[in-house]
Amino acid sequence: MARAPSEPAVKPLRLTVRLTPRGGRDAVEGWIRDTDGAPCLKVRVAAPPVDGAANTALERLIASSLRIAAGAVQIVAGHQGRVKRLEITGVDEEAVAKAFGDPG
């Protein structure tokens, strides 16, 4: 029996976020530029930065905005800082631009 050719692995999309915990509400505020000039999504969450609550709120907000499962969004760097690197599976740059606007 012949084996079916495997599909190429889809790389997760990487997204840089600047998070403001205890921001009063959960909201995506648009794109800003970091010190290197790279696009960075500015996000605020009401949750405090205690026991990972703000990180969990961020993952859920991004997933909800993109209409994907919360498990498809993962923080891979910056767990303790304001600037975080996310990996998102199941979406492409077009879906991100549709949900959050064009990073310019």
Side-chain angles (χ1 to χ4, degrees):
M1 178 176 220
R3 297 176 82 186
S6 61
E7 293 183 26
V10 177
K11 285 187 176 182
L13 182 118
R14 291 209 166 216
L15 181 66
T16 302
V17 173
R18 183 176 185 282
L19 179 65
T20 302
R22 286 193 180 120
R25 61 190 165 92
D26 292 354
V28 176
E29 297 188 329
W31 294 97
I32 59 172
R33 296 282 175 178
D34 66 10
T35 55
D36 297 329
C40 182
L41 192 63
K42 188 175 177 184
V43 178
R44 69 175 50 231
V45 294
V50 178
D51 297 328
N55 289 342
T56 300
L58 170 64
E59 290 171 339
R60 288 182 179 161
L61 177 61
I62 297 297
S64 173
S65 298
L66 292 169
R67 299 178 183 195
I68 58 175
V73 179
Q74 248 184 352
I75 297 173
V76 294
H79 290 86
Q80 300 295 319
R82 283 184 178 249
V83 177
K84 302 178 184 299
R85 177 96 47 194
L86 306 179
E87 277 191 356
I88 307 169
T89 55
V91 297
D92 56 14
E93 291 180 8
E94 184 178 316
V96 170
K98 185 177 179 182
F100 306 123
D102 185 16

